[in-house]
């Protein structure tokens, strides 16, 4: 894809509008959203809730190693608790904690504070609990419910940014999986599927700007991390066709694990990476699943003519450090 100065301005406008409460995502209009909500409710009635509303209890210490455990917290919505799985070992939080333990050769003490159905406004309460655990690393999966509850993007982004700042001020590194592309959810049919795709990807771009500005880093979930979800929905989605399957959660966890390790200085940054302005990187990452965005400096400067400098790159999910 070729990016022009006009595309840079567009990316800035999308992210800035969400950050300050402008039109942006909400420009699709109340009538269109009403149709979208009706379609989603119809799909939910047809599919039902085969998973209930709770993920398996996953708090605990993971990794057969000696030493002081790394303290990790998991915050966010139903994907953060692994809704749809039956075994804690199948949840993304435990998969990430177990992988981190292997990389660090230390045990990981995991506390899962996410809640099924949570939107960004509920992160404040989750952070209150997380701070009691004195985390070294916090992972957040959030955004989908901000779309389905028609939360104003400005509000959603502010709540997320405040949560990241509080965690960073407490000394925790923060990795955020941005809003997934709800256009991949099959029970939502065309023509409304393209609306959810546009809405969720624009929110993901705004989330990226907010998180990096607050000192965290993001991993773009886009179309739930890869063509596999589009090409093999029966395998990558669970029975409700809304949440990932066990294989889907494995894909998500392996995309996030390298960024978690890198945030803690345990996983070397890729040799091949590119520097961009934050607005352009945010818009690009929203279209490229698995892309990590974090702050950087160019020629000793944190900001350039188009805003903060960031690095963006796509890791090979699950690759060992020497392959990064």
């Amino acid at each position: 894809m070729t990016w022009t100065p006009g595309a840079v301005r567009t990316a800035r406008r999308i992210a800035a509008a969400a950050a300050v409460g402008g039109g942006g995502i909400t420009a699709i209009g109340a009538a269109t959203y009403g149709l979208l909500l009706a379609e989603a409710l119809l799909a939910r009635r047809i599919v039902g809730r085969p998973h209930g509303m709770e993920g398996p209890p996953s708090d605990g210490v993971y990794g057969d190693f000696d030493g002081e455990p790394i303290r990790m917290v998991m915050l966010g919505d139903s994907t953060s608790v692994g809704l749809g799985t039956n075994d804690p070992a199948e949840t993304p939080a435990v998969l990430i904690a177990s992988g981190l333990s292997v990389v660090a050769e230390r045990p990981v003490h995991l506390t899962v504070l996410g809640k099924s159905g949570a939107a960004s406004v509920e992160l404040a309460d989750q952070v209150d609990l997380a701070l009691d655990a004195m985390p070294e690393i916090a992972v957040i999966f959030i955004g989908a419910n901000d779309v389905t509850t028609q939360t104003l993007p400005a509000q959603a982004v502010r709540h997320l940014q405040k949560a990241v700042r509080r965690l960073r001020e407490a000394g925790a590194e923060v990795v955020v999986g941005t809003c997934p592309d709800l256009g991949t959810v099959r029970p939502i049919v065309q023509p409304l599927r393209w609306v959810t795709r546009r809405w969720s990807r624009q929110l993901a771009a705004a989330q990226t700007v907010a998180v990096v500005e607050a000192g965290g880093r993001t991993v773009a979930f886009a179309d739930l991390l890869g063509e596999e979800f589009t090409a093999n929905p029966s395998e990558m989605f669970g029975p409700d066709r809304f949440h990932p399957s066990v294989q889907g959660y494995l894909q998500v966890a392996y995309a996030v694990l390298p960024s978690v390790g890198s945030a803690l200085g345990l996983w070397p940054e890729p040799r091949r990476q590119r520097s961009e302005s934050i607005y352009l990187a945010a818009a690009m990452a929203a279209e490229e699943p698995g892309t990590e965005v974090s702050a950087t400096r160019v020629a000793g400067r944190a900001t350039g003519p188009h805003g903060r400098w960031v690095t963006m790159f796509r890791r090979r999910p699950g690759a060992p450090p020497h392959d990064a």
Side-chain angles (χ1 to χ4, degrees):
M1 181 181 296
T2 300
W3 289 85
T4 65
V8 176
R9 289 192 294 272
T10 300
R12 181 186 299 114
R13 185 168 62 250
I14 291 170
V20 301
I25 304 168
T26 59
I28 67 171
T32 303
Y33 180 80
L35 291 172
L36 172 63
L37 183 59
E39 180 70 36
L41 290 174
L42 176 60
R44 175 56 74 188
R45 283 198 297 271
I46 293 172
V47 175
R49 294 189 183 276
H51 303 317
M53 289 292 288
E54 301 292 335
S58 303
D59 289 5
V61 178
Y62 295 91
D64 189 18
F65 296 97
D66 296 326
E68 185 70 19
I70 297 172
R71 298 180 300 278
M72 171 182 161
V73 294
M74 189 80 175
L75 298 81
D77 54 26
S78 56
T79 55
S80 73
V81 302
L83 187 66
T85 60
N86 297 313
D87 186 340
E90 299 171 340
T91 65
V94 173
L95 288 167
I96 294 169
S98 298
L100 177 60
S101 174
V102 172
V103 172
E105 297 185 344
R106 288 171 56 191
V108 173
H109 186 280
L110 172 66
T111 304
V112 179
L113 300 167
K115 181 180 178 182
S116 184
S120 294
V121 65
E122 296 175 68
L123 287 175
D125 291 338
Q126 294 183 22
V127 171
D128 287 343
L129 297 173
L131 294 180
D132 290 339
M134 297 183 291
E136 296 169 68
I137 180 71
V139 180
I140 305 174
F141 291 175
I142 200 73
N145 294 314
D146 291 303
V147 175
T148 60
T149 58
Q150 202 184 7
T151 300
L152 291 175
Q155 295 177 2
V157 166
R158 281 198 296 270
H159 288 306
L160 174 59
Q161 187 172 58
K162 184 176 180 179
V164 174
R165 281 191 173 135
R166 290 179 64 198
L167 290 163
R168 292 290 293 124
E169 288 170 357
E173 298 292 338
V174 182
V175 176
V176 176
T178 57
C179 181
D181 177 5
L182 299 183
T184 60
V185 176
R186 290 305 177 91
I188 299 177
V189 299
Q190 295 290 16
L192 296 179
R193 189 178 294 170
W194 75 266
V195 176
T196 60
R197 171 159 295 190
R198 175 172 176 264
W199 192 330
S200 53
R201 292 198 180 201
Q202 289 184 358
L203 177 57
Q207 287 177 317
T208 296
V209 174
V211 169
V212 174
E213 291 284 3
R217 61 181 69 199
T218 61
V219 177
F221 278 4
D223 53 353
L224 282 176
L225 298 177
E227 297 178 356
E228 293 90 343
F229 278 86
T230 300
N232 303 302
S234 61
E235 178 182 348
M236 305 305 283
F237 282 103
D240 66 356
R241 292 181 286 168
F242 282 88
H243 294 90
S245 64
V246 172
Q247 182 61 35
Y249 279 126
L250 184 65
Q251 183 87 351
V252 170
Y254 279 4
V256 174
L257 174 59
S259 296
V260 169
S262 182
L264 291 171
L266 301 170
W267 200 298
E269 303 287 5
R271 290 183 291 274
R272 296 180 181 179
Q273 53 187 354
R274 55 193 297 179
S275 298
E276 301 284 0
S277 76
I278 189 171
Y279 299 108
L280 177 56
M284 294 176 70
E287 301 293 334
E288 299 178 10
T291 300
E292 180 187 307
V293 180
S294 58
T296 192
R297 289 178 175 270
V298 175
R301 297 180 179 271
T303 59
H306 301 296
R308 181 182 293 276
W309 286 112
V310 299
T311 57
M312 58 180 299
F313 44 83
R314 293 186 65 182
R315 300 180 187 272
R316 181 156 60 86
H322 58 76
D323 286 344

